[in-house]
Amino acid sequence: MEEFELSEKCKQGNNLARKELYELYSGRMLGVCLRYIGDRDMAQDLLHDGFLKVYASFDKFTWRGEGSLRAWIERVMVNTVLQYLRKNDVLNRTTELDGIQDSYEEPNPSDIETIPQKVLMNFISELPDGYRTVFNLYTFEEKSHREIAQMLGINEKSSASQLFRAKGVLAKRIKEYLRMNI
């Protein structure tokens, strides 16, 4: 079924279309949830919560061309995860990490390309919740610090600080990986 037809049938409440939608996008959306939530079981719970929200709010979806359905579902998933993080006050819990410096040397992009994507995503998943959330919103969702601050209910400087620290931790992990594997 084409994306437009699928969206129209889902709007009408067609359960076969909903099943197809889930089968088509659940793998990718689980990846989105895992980017924000380090725990696979919780990510799966949030994936299901997100799809329930998708099904319940199809009247808010507007077709804007090929890919718009996937993009809309992804936004719903991100918002579902952020709502969970805010509700459970996960973002305000501070985690002290040893070895975080006031500066760091960014790894060479060509060196990063030699690291398997799964390894890089694992490094991201191991970041403390606040760092990981800000890093994901800034890097993958392309949000500004102002937007991140509004979304998470934090100060813009806090967003920038958490991004800096996340990058520092990732740079350290990448250096260690390169030293051990190359």
Side-chain angles (χ1 to χ4, degrees):
M1 200 178 307
E2 293 292 319
E3 197 178 71
F4 176 74
E5 182 184 356
L6 186 59
S7 68
E8 289 300 306
K9 288 189 176 187
C10 285
K11 273 185 183 180
Q12 298 164 4
N14 181 308
N15 284 331
L16 287 176
R18 288 176 173 179
K19 182 178 188 270
E20 185 175 335
L21 182 82
Y22 183 86
E23 289 171 353
L24 187 61
Y25 294 112
S26 63
R28 181 182 183 97
M29 296 308 142
L30 178 60
V32 169
C33 293
L34 281 168
R35 265 199 338 246
Y36 288 90
I37 301 292
D39 177 75
R40 187 171 197 78
D41 290 336
M42 181 52 65
Q44 288 177 325
D45 288 348
L46 291 169
L47 170 75
H48 295 295
D49 291 350
F51 267 102
L52 290 174
K53 289 178 182 182
V54 164
Y55 298 148
S57 59
F58 248 104
D59 59 323
K60 296 178 182 128
F61 172 69
T62 304
W63 174 259
R64 290 190 169 92
E66 198 65 33
S68 62
L69 178 60
R70 182 195 52 78
W72 178 71
I73 294 170
E74 197 166 307
R75 274 195 317 278
V76 172
M77 290 298 157
V78 169
N79 288 333
T80 300
V81 171
L82 293 178
Q83 182 180 28
Y84 166 81
L85 292 171
R86 282 191 303 267
K87 180 181 173 194
N88 292 288
D89 203 28
V90 171
L91 300 170
N92 290 321
R93 293 184 203 147
T94 56
T95 304
E96 291 301 319
L97 295 177
D98 295 332
I100 295 181
Q101 301 162 353
D102 291 337
S103 64
Y104 63 91
E105 184 180 333
E106 286 205 20
N108 187 329
S110 62
D111 289 340
I112 295 173
E113 289 175 12
T114 66
I115 302 173
Q117 184 178 4
K118 188 173 185 171
V119 171
L120 291 172
M121 294 309 287
N122 190 50
F123 291 165
I124 293 169
S125 74
E126 293 172 348
L127 289 170
D129 296 326
Y131 294 5
R132 183 177 56 244
T133 302
V134 170
F135 180 84
N136 282 320
L137 288 169
Y138 188 86
T139 304
F140 296 107
E141 311 301 331
E142 300 178 348
K143 301 293 183 190
S144 68
H145 288 299
R146 172 173 277 149
E147 291 170 312
I148 293 169
Q150 290 172 345
M151 292 172 82
L152 302 180
I154 60 175
N155 185 300
E156 276 183 63
K157 289 182 180 178
S158 177
S159 173
S161 171
Q162 290 196 36
L163 176 64
F164 178 83
R165 290 173 177 264
K167 286 181 173 183
V169 170
L170 291 173
K172 182 179 176 184
R173 293 292 312 271
I174 288 168
K175 274 185 168 178
E176 289 170 1
Y177 180 89
L178 291 171
R179 190 182 66 229
M180 302 293 285
N181 296 287
I182 294 182

